[in-house]
Amino acid sequence: MINGSMDPNGKIRYWGWRFELKYRLNWIQYHKMRAAIRPYMRTDYYTRVAPRNRYLVRSLYFDDYDHRAFLEKMDGDSDRVKFRLRTYSVSVSADSVVKVELKVRKGNAMIKHGSLVSLADLQDFLRKKHWPETDDPVLIEFERYLHLKSLQPQILIEYFREGFEDRAKSDLRVTFDHRVRSAHCAELFPSSPVFFRSH
């Protein structure tokens, strides 16, 4: 579920805490769940316009050398922050735009803060570890934590998302993420990543 909007400067603004629950489903469970929600939910816009009604989500996650963020997640720590870059494109182009995100979690509740940046600004940041002059609080915090925690890009995760929204127009959202795979990577658009599928 995304509670947010884009302002005229291209900054993503999210509001309110939301609850997020994740489950692993086998193929039969997926079809049963999908059939059960269909009377009450419909596919979202991005799903409807995507090939095969599933759109790509690709994220590059940052962590320190001890993989502390990963261990916090695996240990189920209630207070943690994820640092990631996100795109919905499989290949890079001149007008590629990337979302810089801080995902803050407290128990099952979470909130996201994000801003859009150009690919040129992102590549410059990854080289210099510093954004061009900005007053964007998301970019400032991302850079601060990068230096404070010695964060480095560690893993690239991508999948194809099938999203559903409530027909009654509440904030309820259900997504099915297909073909989840990951690669050890330091770039959002690597030339030849070696992906692994854990399940």
Side-chain angles (χ1 to χ4, degrees):
M1 178 180 68
I2 300 175
N3 290 332
S5 63
M6 187 184 305
D7 71 16
N9 298 318
K11 297 176 182 178
I12 305 296
R13 297 302 182 203
Y14 300 98
W15 59 86
W17 288 85
R18 62 188 175 109
F19 291 93
E20 183 178 80
L21 302 172
K22 296 184 180 182
Y23 303 93
R24 285 176 59 183
L25 304 177
N26 63 34
W27 195 240
I28 294 172
Q29 291 170 326
Y30 155 67
H31 281 287
K32 284 183 176 179
M33 174 66 79
R34 192 174 183 275
I37 67 172
R38 286 298 262 177
Y40 313 102
M41 308 194 82
R42 63 184 173 200
T43 52
D44 64 19
Y45 169 78
Y46 298 105
T47 301
R48 288 195 299 272
V49 301
R52 299 184 64 227
N53 299 123
R54 297 174 186 177
Y55 59 93
L56 177 79
V57 179
R58 175 180 278 194
S59 302
L60 181 64
Y61 286 87
F62 286 66
D63 206 340
D64 64 16
Y65 293 105
D66 295 324
H67 304 290
R68 227 169 281 170
F70 171 75
L71 294 173
E72 287 173 356
K73 177 179 176 61
M74 296 307 293
D75 290 343
D77 291 2
S78 62
D79 294 354
R80 59 184 189 270
V81 183
K82 284 183 184 175
F83 305 89
R84 71 185 180 200
L85 307 175
R86 175 160 284 188
T87 185
Y88 301 94
S89 304
V90 69
S91 58
V92 63
S93 63
D95 57 348
S96 293
V97 175
V98 176
K99 204 187 306 181
V100 178
E101 289 189 343
L102 283 77
K103 186 175 179 182
V104 182
R105 178 177 288 275
K106 290 184 181 293
N108 284 332
M110 57 80 61
I111 190 169
K112 286 195 293 186
H113 306 282
S115 288
L116 295 178
V117 297
S118 69
L119 185 61
D121 282 349
L122 173 63
Q123 290 172 333
D124 194 49
F125 171 76
L126 292 175
R127 263 194 324 273
K128 300 176 181 175
K129 308 296 189 239
H130 178 66
W131 296 109
E133 289 303 317
T134 181
D135 60 353
D136 186 306
V138 173
L139 301 184
I140 292 169
E141 278 297 280
F142 195 94
E143 180 179 326
R144 186 175 76 85
Y145 271 101
L146 186 90
H147 294 289
L148 181 68
K149 294 176 173 275
S150 299
L151 300 177
Q152 297 287 334
Q154 298 280 2
I155 191 164
L156 186 68
I157 296 178
E158 71 173 32
Y159 46 83
F160 288 89
R161 173 162 284 179
E162 181 183 9
F164 290 83
E165 58 191 8
D166 185 11
R167 292 182 187 273
K169 299 185 178 178
S170 74
D171 287 336
L172 179 64
R173 180 168 162 80
V174 174
T175 63
F176 298 102
D177 296 337
H178 303 268
R179 294 171 54 198
V180 181
R181 60 184 191 163
S182 62
H184 291 289
C185 205
E187 300 177 43
L188 193 58
F189 297 104
S191 57
S192 53
V194 179
F195 281 104
F196 297 90
R197 291 184 65 181
S198 298
H199 44 262

